[in-house]
Amino acid sequence: MVISPRVKGFICITAHPDGCRENVRRQIEYVEKNGKMENSPKNVLIIGASTGYGLASRIALAFGGGANTLGIMFEKSATATRTATPGYYNTEAFEAFAKEKGLYAETINGDAFSVECKEKTIQKIREDLGKVDMVIYSLAAPRRTTPDGQTYTSVLKPVGEAFTNLSWNAKDNSLTTVTLEPANEEEIAATVKVMGGEDWMDWIEALHTADVLSEDAVTVAYSYIGPELTYPIYKDGTIGRAKKNLKECSDRMNEKYQGQGIRSYVSVNKAVVTQASAAIPVVPLYFMILYKVMKEKHLHEGCIEQMDRLFRRKLSGSQVEQDNGGFIRMDDWELREDVQAAVMDAWNRITTTELSEIADVDGYWEDFYHMFGFHFDNVDYDRDVPLV
C-alpha cells in the first residue's frame, strides 16, 4: 500500500518504514559527526528503546561509544491492512545499521512491567553479553499490570485544584482555553504506580540478584520538570508526583547498593515533541513557543542532541554533573533566565492570528510527523510498500 499519515487527535495511526529508517539514519549521522565518546559503557540495556529519548540513547551509545545494546520495546508488527508502529520500524532500522557497523544490537519485544520480560532479558544478557554496565530506564507507558494482576492507568491531571490556561487545537490551528479538573487520590496513586520508580527498582533488583550487572554499573531514568507555566500539569500534577517518586526510588537504590558499585541517577531532560507530550493540553503550545525562542538563540535540541550531550558531557564514566538536588540537568538551556523570559513574553502576547509569528508551529509539526516516519524530503512516499 501507499502509506500516508493518518492523524487522529494527538496521534498518527500510521507509520512509514522508509521514513522511520531515515529518522534513525539522521540521528546516527549526527552522533558520528561528533566523533567517538570517551568512557562510554560497553554493554547497555535500554528499557523503552524504540522511540524518543530511549531510542536516542541507544543510538548515541552505540554509534558514539561503540556500545553493545539490548533493547526492550512493546511494539506491534504490521498486518495485511495496518502498518507497524513507528517504534517497530525504528528498531528494525537501528538493528540493521548497527549490524552493518559490527555492533551487537538485539531487542526483546514484550511488556517491560512483567516478570516474564525481566526473566527473558536476564537470560539474554547471560547468553550474549555476560553482564551490562549501564541500564537506561525510559518507559512512557499509559498503564501497568503488576505481578499480582492489578492494572493501573495513569492520568495527566493537576492535583488539588483545577487548572485553566491557553491551549492549542491541532485540528484548526486555533487557540482555546481549557480547564483540567484535579485528580482524585486513586488517580494520583495509579499514576505513581505507572510512571514512578517502582518498576525501575524491580528491574535493578532482578538484574542485581541474577548477577548480570557489572562492577560500577550505572542506571539512569529520565524525567521532566519544566517551567513554572506548566507546573500545575507537570511538577505539581499527577505526573510530577510520579517523577518525585522516581527520584525517591533513585535515592533509595543509591542507599541500598552503596558499596556494591551500582550508581543511580535521574536526568531531567528538555521539552521535546513525543507521543506522550503531544497528548497533554497546554504543553504543545508551550513547546511551540519554546522551540522558536531556543532556535533563535541557537540553543534548540531534539532527543538525539540531548542524549549525545548527556553521555559526552554530563554522564561520562565517573564524571557526573549534578545540581544541588542530585539531578542531572539536561533542561539547563530550556530554563535559562533569558529563554524563559522570552517564552513568557510571547505567551502573554499570543493570539490566533499571531501564532505562526510567535510560535514555531511548523517546527512542532515537523517533529510530530518525523516521529512516525513522514515529511522527510528524501523519502519516496508514493512508493507501494509491502506491509507483510
Side-chain angles (χ1 to χ4, degrees):
M1 66 183 290
V2 174
I3 304 173
S4 302
R6 293 176 58 197
V7 178
K8 289 189 176 182
F10 55 83
I11 197 74
C12 184
I13 62 173
T14 53
H16 202 289
D18 298 346
C20 289
R21 180 181 176 86
E22 177 62 14
N23 189 17
V24 171
R25 189 199 66 78
R26 291 188 185 192
Q27 292 185 64
I28 292 170
E29 182 180 58
Y30 174 85
V31 171
E32 291 186 329
K33 281 183 179 178
N34 288 335
K36 183 171 176 57
M37 289 182 183
E38 301 295 330
N39 304 314
S40 176
K42 298 307 174 189
N43 296 326
V44 182
L45 171 65
I46 305 100
I47 304 162
S50 57
T51 60
Y53 279 123
L55 174 64
S57 299
R58 194 175 194 186
I59 291 170
L61 291 168
F63 290 91
N68 302 313
T69 60
L70 175 60
I72 311 296
M73 68 176 186
F74 195 41
E75 302 289 350
K76 293 180 180 179
S77 60
T79 68
T81 58
R82 186 192 66 217
T83 70
T85 53
Y88 190 93
Y89 290 138
N90 290 340
T91 301
E92 277 192 331
F94 171 84
E95 289 183 352
F97 284 125
K99 287 169 184 176
E100 285 176 9
K101 292 282 187 178
L103 296 169
Y104 174 92
E106 295 290 335
T107 307
I108 294 171
N109 194 359
D111 179 5
F113 293 126
S114 71
V115 173
E116 178 187 13
C117 185
K118 293 176 176 67
E119 291 175 344
K120 190 173 182 179
T121 301
I122 288 167
Q123 185 62 29
K124 188 72 172 172
I125 293 171
R126 282 177 174 154
E127 292 174 354
D128 295 0
L129 301 172
K131 299 191 179 205
V132 294
D133 46 3
M134 178 173 280
V135 179
I136 294 168
Y137 191 82
S138 184
L139 285 190
R143 65 190 56 85
R144 171 191 175 196
T145 299
T146 51
D148 62 3
Q150 181 86 21
T151 297
Y152 300 89
T153 300
S154 64
V155 298
L156 297 166
K157 292 184 177 183
V159 171
E161 59 184 32
F163 173 61
T164 300
N165 213 321
L166 280 176
S167 193
W168 170 70
N169 188 334
K171 290 182 179 180
D172 59 7
N173 203 36
S174 65
L175 295 182
T176 185
T177 299
V178 297
T179 297
L180 302 177
E181 296 301 323
N184 58 41
E185 291 301 320
E186 183 178 342
E187 290 173 321
I188 295 169
T191 304
V192 172
K193 272 283 188 181
V194 177
M195 305 182 73
E198 184 178 76
D199 182 64
W200 181 25
M201 287 200 305
D202 288 347
W203 268 100
I204 300 305
E205 176 62 23
L207 296 166
H208 178 256
T209 300
D211 194 28
V212 292
L213 291 177
S214 65
E215 292 184 11
D216 299 321
V218 169
T219 184
V220 58
Y222 298 140
S223 185
Y224 181 70
I225 293 176
E228 188 172 347
L229 174 68
T230 63
Y231 276 4
I233 298 176
Y234 266 108
K235 183 173 179 290
D236 298 332
T238 53
I239 191 171
R241 293 286 185 93
K243 296 308 180 183
K244 180 182 178 183
N245 176 263
L246 187 78
K247 181 59 167 65
E248 290 169 350
C249 289
S250 178
D251 293 341
R252 284 159 60 186
M253 285 191 285
N254 281 326
E255 183 178 349
K256 179 176 181 177
Y257 299 112
Q258 188 175 19
Q260 299 180 58
I262 301 172
R263 293 172 291 143
S264 174
Y265 302 99
V266 173
S267 175
V268 181
N269 298 337
K270 169 188 172 288
V272 293
V273 180
T274 64
Q275 293 183 44
S277 65
I280 309 171
V282 181
V283 168
L285 180 59
Y286 164 72
F287 282 12
M288 291 176 186
I289 297 173
L290 177 72
Y291 271 32
K292 187 171 183 66
V293 170
M294 294 192 75
K295 286 177 180 179
E296 289 174 349
K297 294 179 178 292
H298 305 289
L299 296 172
H300 178 68
E301 293 177 315
C303 288
I304 194 61
E305 292 85 1
Q306 282 266 288
M307 295 300 96
D308 188 76
R309 183 161 69 100
L310 170 65
F311 295 117
R312 288 183 192 274
R313 302 184 188 179
K314 301 223 176 186
L315 182 56
S316 176
S318 59
Q319 302 299 313
V320 182
E321 184 180 319
Q322 296 172 275
D323 68 6
N324 293 334
F327 292 99
I328 300 171
R329 300 307 293 258
M330 297 307 300
D331 63 346
D332 46 357
W333 297 350
E334 174 186 352
L335 297 185
R336 247 176 48 173
E337 187 175 344
D338 60 322
V339 171
Q340 285 302 311
V343 168
M344 289 311 302
D345 176 68
W347 187 274
N348 292 330
R349 291 186 292 113
I350 200 164
T351 66
T352 301
T353 55
E354 297 171 322
L355 190 59
S356 61
E357 299 174 14
I358 292 178
D360 185 14
V361 181
D362 290 342
Y364 178 91
W365 276 119
E366 180 180 80
D367 281 5
F368 177 88
Y369 281 112
H370 281 181
M371 283 193 295
F372 301 93
F374 296 108
H375 289 199
F376 288 103
D377 55 13
N378 59 340
V379 173
D380 179 9
Y381 291 108
D382 294 324
R383 184 175 83 86
D384 194 8
V385 180
L387 291 183
V388 293

